Amino acid sequence: LGIMVFVSVIGFLILEWTLKRIVGAVTGSHNWLGGWGERRRQRLYITGMQALAEGDLITAQKLLTKTIKADFDGVNLLALADVEAKQGHAEKALQYWEQASAIKGCELAAKLNMARFEINQKNGEKALTVINSLSIQQKQKPNVIVVWAGALAAAGDWHTLRERLENGWKKSLGTHYEYWAELASREDFAAIANKEGANELIQEWQKLPRGVKKDIPHQKAYIEQLIDQGMHQEAEKVLVTAQKSGPQTALLPLFKSLQLPKPNDSIKLLEKWIKKDNQNAVLYSTLAHVAYHAGNQILAEKALNQALEIANHPEDILLLAEIKSQQANSEEALALYKKGVSTSSL
């Protein structure tokens, strides 16, 4: 009996050892197959990303599509959406961005790409809907604000864009600020003037914070709109006040658009600058145009001659030709016209 028990125990141990070896072999095979599949997906992803970087969209699409169910933290979906968008497949691109937006850590990137895509498609309202779905913290990021500004512009909501620029977006937009500030102010001021009149535009400007009214992009847009509305006297007042400390590159050319019978403040300011910088052709040219529009041909001709001694700008040559023509000096006028046209074509 003892021998039988001993044999039974030995048999059980042998069976247990055999079963463990079989299970181990099967499990090892499974792990090996799983590891092989993971390595294959990695190769597909890497090769697909390389193809995308190379601009080979067809290959990138083919390879990255095979990684849809793999876990790449949504980056593969973002890349695939980019491929589809570049090929003009809007629905597929939006579908992949939507999937990516549900993955933690990928939401913001996916939604910003969706918003940019809608902006490029001139769908400003849809872009704003995407932006509004972001969290408060996400909306404070500078890269989000840049896209947000583009969405407001695409939607034609210039007033909201101008207000946001005036209330905290300047730092976040960085080098983009001047572009958006001038564009938003120009469009919004034009809408106010066209709908409610120039006087309402002036009142709107007066309500703005002092810091905003000192901002050159806003000043430029406001002055341009005053000139467009025929409010040249008011435009001159703002131009002179804004440049008391010296000429501003963005504002100085606007003097040439003034058409006033007595632009005394403008002439006085320009002559003051010329005394400090008497080799500046731009200042002489600006003075000449202001004087010409005021009917003061003597001052205009004098300033033009001084400008042309320093630099031969076609605009000044042609204006001098116009003055000579009005003086019935046709021969000299014709010579100047030819010179101005030839200089313009260089």
Side-chain angles (χ1 to χ4, degrees):
L1 180 62
I3 293 172
M4 291 179 64
V5 171
F6 175 76
V7 170
S8 296
V9 170
I10 295 300
F12 175 79
L13 291 174
I14 292 171
L15 178 63
E16 181 184 31
W17 178 83
T18 303
L19 288 172
K20 283 183 178 179
R21 289 297 298 270
I22 293 172
V23 170
V26 172
T27 304
S29 175
H30 177 73
N31 289 338
W32 181 84
L33 287 171
W36 179 83
E38 181 63 25
R39 289 193 297 273
R40 180 174 178 274
R41 285 189 290 271
Q42 285 282 355
R43 283 198 304 272
L44 289 169
Y45 171 72
I46 293 170
T47 309
M49 294 296 283
Q50 289 171 338
L52 174 57
E54 293 167 0
D56 186 353
L57 300 179
I58 294 175
T59 300
Q61 181 187 39
K62 179 181 177 181
L63 297 174
L64 290 172
T65 301
K66 295 178 180 179
T67 71
I68 290 176
K69 295 182 179 179
D71 183 11
F72 289 102
D73 295 325
V75 177
N76 56 328
L77 296 174
L78 289 176
L80 194 50
D82 187 29
V83 170
E84 298 291 359
K86 286 177 177 176
Q87 293 185 102
H89 305 154
E91 288 186 17
K92 285 187 176 180
L94 290 169
Q95 177 186 339
Y96 289 129
W97 279 320
E98 194 69 46
Q99 290 179 30
S101 70
I103 298 173
K104 186 178 180 181
C106 211
E107 178 198 7
L108 182 57
K111 289 188 174 181
L112 284 179
N113 276 289
M114 289 173 69
R116 292 189 189 102
F117 179 79
E118 297 293 4
I119 290 169
N120 289 333
Q121 298 297 308
K122 311 299 181 186
N123 297 326
E125 293 296 340
K126 289 184 178 180
L128 286 174
T129 299
V130 175
I131 296 293
N132 289 330
S133 71
L134 299 175
S135 68
I136 295 174
Q137 290 78 10
Q138 288 172 330
K139 288 179 180 178
Q140 293 172 349
K141 291 177 173 287
N143 56 326
V144 173
I145 290 174
V146 170
V147 178
W148 197 347
L152 288 169
D157 193 351
W158 301 109
H159 189 72
T160 300
L161 177 55
R162 181 169 69 82
E163 287 185 334
R164 290 194 176 277
L165 289 166
E166 294 166 4
N167 294 290
W169 276 13
K170 184 172 184 177
K171 183 178 180 181
S172 296
L173 286 172
T175 56
H176 299 279
Y177 173 77
E178 287 193 10
Y179 168 79
W180 286 121
E182 184 178 334
L183 180 59
S185 294
R186 184 171 67 241
E187 295 293 336
D188 191 37
F189 290 156
I192 293 170
N194 292 333
K195 291 178 183 177
E196 302 176 47
N199 289 328
E200 185 64 30
L201 172 63
I202 294 172
Q203 290 178 25
E204 178 70 19
W205 178 258
Q206 291 172 344
K207 288 188 294 185
L208 295 177
R210 188 176 179 183
V212 173
K213 288 191 285 188
K214 286 186 174 182
D215 213 352
I216 291 176
H218 293 296
Q219 291 174 339
K220 183 181 178 184
Y222 177 56
I223 294 165
E224 286 176 336
Q225 194 52 228
L226 287 173
I227 292 171
D228 287 345
Q229 294 295 318
M231 305 286 285
H232 292 265
Q233 195 73 56
E234 186 67 25
E236 181 192 38
K237 187 190 302 182
V238 181
L239 264 176
V240 171
T241 302
Q243 299 179 93
K244 281 185 176 179
S245 59
Q248 294 290 336
T249 304
L251 301 180
L252 184 60
L254 298 180
F255 276 112
K256 292 183 177 182
S257 299
L258 295 178
Q259 303 210 16
L260 293 167
K262 294 182 179 180
N264 298 332
D265 291 341
S266 297
I267 291 174
K268 182 179 178 181
L269 185 61
L270 288 164
E271 288 179 336
K272 176 184 174 182
W273 292 339
I274 287 171
K275 285 181 180 178
K276 294 180 179 179
D277 186 6
N278 61 8
Q279 292 299 307
N280 191 321
V282 174
L283 293 178
Y284 284 117
S285 175
T286 305
L287 176 60
H289 281 76
V290 172
Y292 176 76
H293 290 310
N296 189 343
Q297 289 193 357
I298 295 174
L299 177 58
E301 185 175 356
K302 179 182 177 183
L304 283 170
N305 285 327
Q306 289 173 307
L308 291 171
E309 284 181 8
I310 302 168
N312 280 320
H313 292 142
E315 182 185 26
D316 297 332
I317 297 171
L318 293 173
L319 182 58
L320 186 57
E322 182 65 25
I323 292 173
K324 292 298 181 182
S325 177
Q326 292 175 11
Q327 293 172 350
N329 193 339
S330 56
E331 187 175 334
E332 191 172 354
L334 181 58
L336 286 166
Y337 276 127
K338 288 180 178 179
K339 182 180 179 182
V341 172
S342 65
T343 306
S344 299
S345 61
L346 294 177

